Amino acid sequence: MSRVLLILMVTLGAGAAAWGQGVTKLPKVIYLTAVDGKKVAVKTQAAEKATVLAWTNLGCPMCKIYRPRLESMAAEYAAKGIRFVLIDSSQQDHAAALKVANEELSGDLRILRDLAAKVARKLKVTRTTEILVAGRDGKVVYRGALDDQYGYRKREAGGVGSYRKYAPEQNYLREALDAILAGKKPEVSSTAALGCALNLNWKET
């Protein structure tokens, strides 16, 4: 087993929690905070063909793997009318560290803070690397993992373990976005995102 998966097994615990039940539409406006402390109003029912909300943080091994992929896709799909927003709901990630991380990102993509995990709680996001995709009407058409390279596998003896493939076989996010651009519904609407558990009980100080 790779070092990344060993770390994840410790971080994730025995299995995957349920994700996203009951969330079928995003609020018209989602309020986040930039690293300089300014409030940012993300309109989810706007001119964009789709909005991608992608959870990340600075310490989770899976985020370190997937953030560059999200950065590349954000640049690729921006010209097609699809907007990406990186959201950090983790208490341990302070503004100064996030500012450095943002300086390393290209284009218009930036990490925005979800103070006290208010947005994560509202949208029932429980783990980093989870992604929500909504059309311009705000309806969620896909949520889950970016691809299937890392994921959960049921064990014969019971419980849930994690796995890693040499390369992705299904690119769920890309397939969902291409479906939207073609005027279709994604064939896969929900998967489990392998990521680190969020602390949904922290309060602003």
Side-chain angles (χ1 to χ4, degrees):
M1 183 178 290
S2 72
R3 182 173 178 272
V4 168
L5 287 184
L6 282 171
I7 293 172
L8 283 171
M9 290 304 292
V10 174
T11 305
L12 295 169
W19 64 98
Q21 287 86 348
V23 177
T24 59
K25 193 170 185 178
L26 299 180
K28 290 183 178 181
V29 181
I30 293 175
Y31 294 97
L32 298 164
T33 304
V35 295
D36 61 3
K38 295 180 180 179
K39 295 296 181 183
V40 178
V42 177
K43 296 180 180 179
T44 64
Q45 299 178 34
E48 285 82 7
K49 292 182 179 178
T51 298
V52 177
L53 304 180
W55 265 257
T56 190
N57 77 4
L58 301 182
C60 178
M62 292 307 304
C63 293
K64 294 177 182 180
I65 293 171
Y66 277 114
R67 192 159 55 244
R69 300 183 191 185
L70 287 165
E71 181 180 5
S72 176
M73 290 188 68
E76 176 185 350
Y77 281 92
K80 301 177 182 180
I82 294 177
R83 172 183 51 179
F84 281 62
V85 179
L86 290 179
I87 301 175
D88 190 315
S89 301
S90 299
Q91 185 176 13
Q92 69 270 23
D93 290 345
H94 299 292
L98 287 169
K99 181 180 179 181
V100 173
N102 276 336
E103 290 172 350
E104 296 173 351
L105 292 173
S106 60
D108 296 328
L109 186 66
R110 292 294 179 270
I111 302 172
L112 298 176
R113 303 182 75 195
D114 173 25
L115 297 178
K118 293 177 182 177
V119 175
R121 288 202 307 272
K122 187 176 184 65
L123 298 179
K124 300 183 180 180
V125 174
T126 60
R127 297 185 180 277
T128 61
T129 77
E130 185 166 359
I131 295 167
L132 278 74
V133 179
R136 57 172 44 147
D137 58 359
K139 291 183 179 178
V140 177
V141 296
Y142 173 75
R143 72 178 296 157
L146 187 150
D147 58 39
D148 69 345
Q149 185 171 7
Y150 298 85
Y152 296 107
R153 176 187 291 119
K154 290 185 178 180
R155 295 172 172 171
E156 292 182 5
V160 178
S162 57
Y163 66 81
R164 181 188 68 173
K165 297 178 181 179
Y166 180 76
E169 295 176 4
Q170 285 188 275
N171 293 284
Y172 300 121
L173 177 57
R174 180 176 297 279
E175 291 162 7
L177 297 181
D178 289 345
I180 290 172
L181 292 173
K184 302 176 181 179
K185 289 185 178 180
E187 291 186 9
V188 178
S189 61
S190 181
T191 62
L194 182 68
C196 303
L198 295 174
N199 175 11
L200 300 181
N201 296 316
W202 73 283
K203 298 179 181 180
E204 288 185 69
T205 58

